[in-house]
Amino acid sequence: QVQLAESGGGLVQAGGSLRLSCVASGRIFSGYTMAWFRQVPGKDREFVAGVRWDSGNLYHADSVKGRFIVSRDKAKKTMYLQMNSLKAEDTAVYYCTGRHGVILSSLRDVGAYDTWGQGTQVTVSS
């Protein structure tokens, strides 16, 4: 069972940048997918970005394209989310998640994942 732990959240002014990290412990086999979701109180958890561990293929939500970049370092078993040009509406708790065997059509679905980190708060002041 892979366990995940996020870090890197904090308070930043609008227009600023932050980088989130998610370290995986345990064995990662072929076919693993990792992703970032975010959630604000009273709303559903929403997909932000994801990466196919084997191929390195990247996926981003339309709301963050051109501002956020997801990446992964296989040797460190770490996924990153570089967040630039942050806006007040990016304020949320950001969660790292992963699972083996996620099909492409489900990559953006919260229900496709079974392992989650504890979350890290990102607050953007306007």
Side-chain angles (χ1 to χ4, degrees):
Q1 180 79 5
V2 178
Q3 294 183 318
L4 304 170
E6 309 96 335
S7 63
L11 173 64
V12 64
Q13 288 188 332
S17 298
L18 280 175
R19 189 177 81 156
L20 306 183
S21 300
C22 175
V23 179
S25 59
R27 290 194 66 182
I28 295 178
F29 299 98
S30 177
Y32 196 66
T33 298
M34 291 184 75
W36 291 100
F37 282 73
R38 66 187 181 186
Q39 189 170 26
V40 298
K43 291 192 174 182
D44 293 337
R45 200 167 289 190
E46 68 170 358
F47 173 81
V48 176
V51 56
R52 293 292 213 185
W53 201 253
D54 298 335
S55 65
N57 287 346
L58 310 177
Y59 306 87
H60 298 84
D62 288 343
S63 59
V64 305
K65 277 181 182 176
R67 300 188 299 122
F68 293 8
I69 302 172
V70 64
S71 63
R72 58 98 171 90
D73 184 324
K74 295 181 77 173
K76 296 181 178 179
K77 292 201 292 185
T78 300
M79 176 179 64
Y80 302 98
L81 185 67
Q82 178 65 45
M83 304 186 294
N84 301 320
S85 302
L86 282 160
K87 305 175 181 179
E89 51 262 44
D90 295 318
T91 295
V93 177
Y94 284 71
Y95 294 91
C96 169
T97 185
R99 187 172 183 176
H100 289 95
V102 176
I103 61 175
L104 185 57
S105 60
S106 297
L107 188 143
R108 299 166 188 260
D109 297 339
V110 65
Y113 299 91
D114 62 356
T115 302
W116 295 84
Q118 79 283 0
T120 185
Q121 176 71 46
V122 171
T123 302
V124 184
S125 62
S126 56

